[in-house]
Amino acid sequence: MSARRDFFQDIYRYRSHQFDRLVAREDVHGNLFAALHDIRPLAGLRVVEFGAGTGRITRLLSVLVDRVYAFDIEPSMLRQADWSMRASGMTNWRLAIGDNGRMPVASRCADLVVEGWSFAHVVGWYPQDWLAQTDMMLAEMERILKPGGVAILIETMGTGRRHPLAPSPKLAKLYDYWEREHGFSYRWIRTDFHFGSPQEADELMRFFFGDEMADECLDGDTVIVPECTGIWWKQFAGR
C-alpha cells in the first residue's frame, strides 16, 4: 500500500529551510546528545541514520562518531542537510537518498542505527498498514546492525507539555507496540524550544504545529515552549 501525502510531507518536500529553522531552536539544554551518549557511548561508532531530515541528529552524532551515513527520502531535506553539515566543519558524514524500509547499505555494517521523528509518520501515512510498515523498518535496522549493535528511536511525547504523553491514541499504540512486541526500552527527556523572539516563536510554531497548538502554547511574549521527547532503544544480539 502506498503512502498518502499529508501536511508534513509537503513541508519536508517544499519548506525544508523553514523546518530547519524550527528544529534548530529545539533542545535548548542539549539533553538529546547527553541521552544518546548515555544509552550507547558514541566515540568511534559507525552509524546509519534513518529519516535524517535536515541533519539535526547527524550534526550531533558527527562530533564523536567515526562515520555517520544519513539517509532521507526527500531531496529537499538532504540539500538543506548538506549545507548545514558543510557549515559545521565536520567531514565524517555522508548523505544519500534512502527509504526507511529499504536502506541502500550492506548488512551488519553499523554499530548504531538511529531515527528521529521519522518512523512515527507511519500511523498517518499508512493508516491501514502501519504495523507491517513498522515491522519492515525495524527489521531493516536489525539487518544493518552488527551483532551487539543498538537501535535508537526518537519521537515526540508532547509539544507544549512539561510531562510526557503521546500526542494521539495512534501514537500511543505505536509506542506501546515498540515496547511490548519488539522489546524496546524507554525513557524521556525535555527538549524545549527556545526561540529568538516572540515573533519567531509565533511564525515557526504556526508553520509546523498549526494555529490551534500555537494558540495554546503562546501568549504574545513566549520564547520558550516546553517539549517532551521519548527515546526507545534496543540492543540486538545478532544471528
Side-chain angles (χ1 to χ4, degrees):
M1 182 182 296
S2 62
R4 66 179 187 183
R5 290 198 60 78
D6 74 353
F7 171 79
F8 294 110
Q9 286 174 309
D10 286 337
I11 286 176
Y12 301 151
R13 180 164 294 184
Y14 301 115
R15 305 177 72 180
S16 59
H17 176 68
Q18 200 168 6
F19 174 81
D20 194 52
R21 288 177 55 211
L22 172 72
V23 299
R25 293 304 193 184
E26 191 176 2
D27 193 22
V28 61
H29 299 297
N31 291 331
L32 180 57
F33 179 84
L36 296 178
H37 190 58
D38 183 57
I39 290 169
R40 177 63 170 96
L42 299 172
L45 299 186
R46 291 275 173 137
V47 182
V48 171
E49 183 183 356
F50 290 57
T54 58
R56 172 186 172 188
I57 296 175
T58 318
R59 291 191 293 275
L60 290 179
L61 296 173
S62 68
V63 175
L64 278 182
V65 303
D66 178 49
R67 295 285 292 180
V68 54
Y69 301 91
F71 298 89
D72 199 274
I73 197 67
E74 290 291 353
S76 174
M77 299 292 269
L78 291 176
R79 285 192 293 271
Q80 183 65 40
D82 184 77
W83 183 90
S84 298
M85 291 305 301
R86 291 180 187 277
S88 77
M90 304 303 294
T91 59
N92 59 339
W93 52 274
R94 181 184 171 218
L95 305 172
I97 294 288
D99 183 275
N100 285 342
R102 293 173 294 277
M103 282 292 184
V105 296
S107 299
R108 298 192 173 194
C109 68
D111 306 294
L112 174 69
V113 293
V114 61
E115 71 85 18
W117 302 275
S118 178
F119 280 16
H121 280 303
V122 294
V123 299
W125 297 350
Y126 299 92
Q128 306 303 320
D129 197 28
W130 66 267
L131 285 174
Q133 294 293 327
T134 296
D135 291 343
M136 180 172 63
M137 294 187 298
L138 294 179
E140 187 68 348
M141 282 188 154
E142 184 174 8
R143 179 188 71 81
I144 291 168
L145 281 172
K146 299 175 183 177
V150 174
I152 296 180
L153 316 175
I154 306 164
E155 297 291 347
T156 183
M157 283 296 283
T159 302
R161 297 191 59 86
R162 289 174 170 79
H163 301 284
L165 182 67
S168 71
K170 288 183 178 180
L171 286 178
K173 289 181 181 179
L174 175 65
Y175 299 161
D176 179 68
Y177 186 68
W178 290 344
E179 297 172 38
R180 177 172 44 83
E181 297 296 332
H182 285 276
F184 277 77
S185 299
Y186 164 75
R187 65 185 287 187
W188 71 277
I189 57 174
R190 286 281 293 270
T191 55
D192 297 355
F193 292 90
H194 187 181
F195 296 100
S197 66
Q199 293 74 26
E200 184 185 61
D202 188 82
E203 174 200 346
L204 295 179
M205 286 292 294
R206 293 185 189 282
F207 147 71
F208 192 76
F209 297 107
D211 290 339
E212 182 177 354
M213 175 70 73
D215 289 341
E216 289 179 5
C217 295
L218 306 176
D219 63 8
D221 295 315
T222 302
V223 295
I224 296 178
V225 175
E227 172 83 7
C228 294
T229 292
I231 304 175
W232 292 260
W233 73 96
K234 179 179 179 180
Q235 184 175 31
F236 286 88
R239 298 173 182 173

